[in-house]
Amino acid sequence: MTSGVITRAAGRRDAPKKKPARRGPAVPVRLGKGLLLLICCAVVLIPFLVVVSTSLADNAQITAAGGYVVWPTHPTFDAYRAILSGGVVTHALFVSIGVTVVGTLLSLLCTTLLAYSLATPGSFGSRPLLLIVLFTLLFTPGIIPSYLIVKELGLLDSYWSVILPVLVNGFNVIVMRSFFAELPKDVLDSARIDGAGEFRILVRIVVPLSKAVIAVIGLFYAVSYWNSFFTAMLYLNDASKWPLQLILRTYVIDAAPLGADNLGVPTDAVPPQQSLQMAVLVISLVPILLVYPFLQRHFAKGALIGAVKG
């Protein structure tokens, strides 16, 4: 009997103690976080709302509001009809779309080929090429040497002058190479044993397994081409070849007036300048806002590539 009591007592002593339940943050802390998040959202969304509202306002509302409208009482699309009626803004929009699509596809192609060659063990010249890519991350070419090279190649006033000088980005190459280097070696070796060439392995195996990193790098390139105006300002002297961002800089930042000649509409149908400027700004933002949701599910995974090993 005594031994049984001792056994039960020992069992109670050896029994694991229950850990206290973890409590969430206090109510004031949660309210403070919610308020801070609300303020951050307001700081981001209110300027965008003002831009959109001003683009939809007429002359009377803009005059009454002193230039910028927070909420239009009688929204109108006259500004969008004017800038999309076939004038300089419409032409610049098509130029930006063409440069972005062609540049992104070529940059993805070159970056993928270069990254795969650098990630493949034993490929010819992979070590010197990797050092050159790393060198470009530390030292960037100056404006004058770049301009002289573009001029000597005969690319001035050509759309290739805004694509070829920035065709491959060293950072994107390193990110994609890190992803390719962590792909299962057994799968690639099995394909080589079966007689598949490197290009076939890249197209049939590596690319389907690398949709996340390709989507992220493609988004990086697309945003870079779409928002670029400095290279166009350097290399494109013909104003009829300017992309949308350079038009945006000219007519919004430099406050050059958008008249009937630039818009292709009658003089009496020209909306207020503030509405036209904000409408150009909205049109320059919409394409990226439309593309991003389709790549969002790949973005979180692809942005962390190379950050975790094992």
Side-chain angles (χ1 to χ4, degrees):
M1 182 175 180
T2 306
S3 60
V5 174
I6 295 175
T7 303
R8 288 195 296 270
R12 286 195 296 269
R13 287 195 302 267
D14 296 337
K17 296 181 179 179
K18 293 184 179 180
K19 295 183 179 180
R22 298 186 62 181
R23 301 177 60 184
V27 175
V29 176
R30 286 184 288 177
L31 291 177
K33 291 181 179 179
L35 181 60
L36 180 61
L37 181 61
L38 184 63
I39 293 174
C40 293
C41 292
V43 170
V44 174
L45 294 178
I46 289 178
F48 184 74
L49 175 64
V50 171
V51 169
V52 176
S53 299
T54 306
S55 69
L56 298 174
D58 56 18
N59 193 20
Q61 297 177 72
I62 292 176
T63 303
Y68 295 100
V69 179
V70 178
W71 189 261
T73 55
H74 304 287
T76 175
F77 291 93
D78 291 343
Y80 292 95
R81 294 191 191 98
I83 63 177
L84 296 178
S85 60
V88 62
V89 179
T90 305
H91 181 72
L93 177 61
F94 285 114
V95 169
S96 290
I97 292 175
V99 169
T100 301
V101 172
V102 174
T104 301
L105 293 178
L106 290 178
S107 294
L108 274 179
L109 177 63
C110 296
T111 301
T112 302
L113 294 175
L114 179 57
Y116 181 71
S117 65
L118 295 178
T120 303
S123 59
F124 178 77
S126 60
R127 187 70 177 178
L129 282 176
L130 180 59
L131 293 177
I132 292 174
V133 172
L134 293 175
F135 183 82
T136 62
L137 298 178
L138 301 175
F139 303 97
T140 57
I143 297 176
I144 295 178
S146 299
Y147 181 85
L148 293 177
I149 291 176
V150 171
K151 181 180 178 181
E152 290 299 322
L153 293 176
L155 298 177
L156 289 180
D157 270 339
S158 169
Y159 292 127
W160 292 112
S161 63
V162 297
I163 295 177
L164 295 181
V166 292
L167 187 64
V168 177
N169 182 275
F171 175 78
N172 294 336
V173 173
I174 297 301
V175 171
M176 191 172 288
R177 174 188 175 274
S178 300
F179 186 88
F180 289 164
E182 295 189 9
L183 291 176
K185 302 297 182 184
D186 297 339
V187 177
L188 304 181
D189 293 338
S190 299
R192 293 188 181 99
I193 293 174
D194 292 338
E198 295 297 335
F199 184 76
R200 188 174 183 181
I201 293 174
L202 174 63
V203 174
R204 295 293 184 88
I205 300 177
V206 175
V207 171
L209 293 175
S210 308
K211 291 181 180 179
V213 67
I214 292 176
V216 172
I217 298 302
L219 181 63
F220 288 165
Y221 277 126
V223 172
S224 176
Y225 280 115
W226 182 262
N227 290 331
S228 177
F229 72 93
F230 189 69
T231 53
M233 186 171 60
L234 284 178
Y235 306 133
L236 298 180
N237 298 321
D238 187 358
S240 63
K241 297 181 179 180
W242 284 0
L244 183 62
Q245 301 302 330
L246 194 52
I247 296 295
L248 179 67
R249 181 183 182 275
T250 302
Y251 292 105
V252 177
I253 298 179
D254 294 343
L258 274 167
D261 296 336
N262 298 327
L263 298 174
V265 296
T267 304
D268 55 352
V270 177
Q273 289 298 313
Q274 289 89 342
S275 295
L276 292 172
Q277 293 173 356
M278 296 303 105
V280 175
L281 183 57
V282 170
I283 290 177
S284 68
L285 294 174
V286 165
I288 298 300
L289 294 179
L290 294 178
V291 171
Y292 181 78
F294 297 99
L295 302 178
Q296 185 178 8
R297 63 190 183 95
H298 299 293
F299 190 83
K301 179 180 178 182
L304 296 177
I305 290 169
V308 180
K309 299 291 184 180

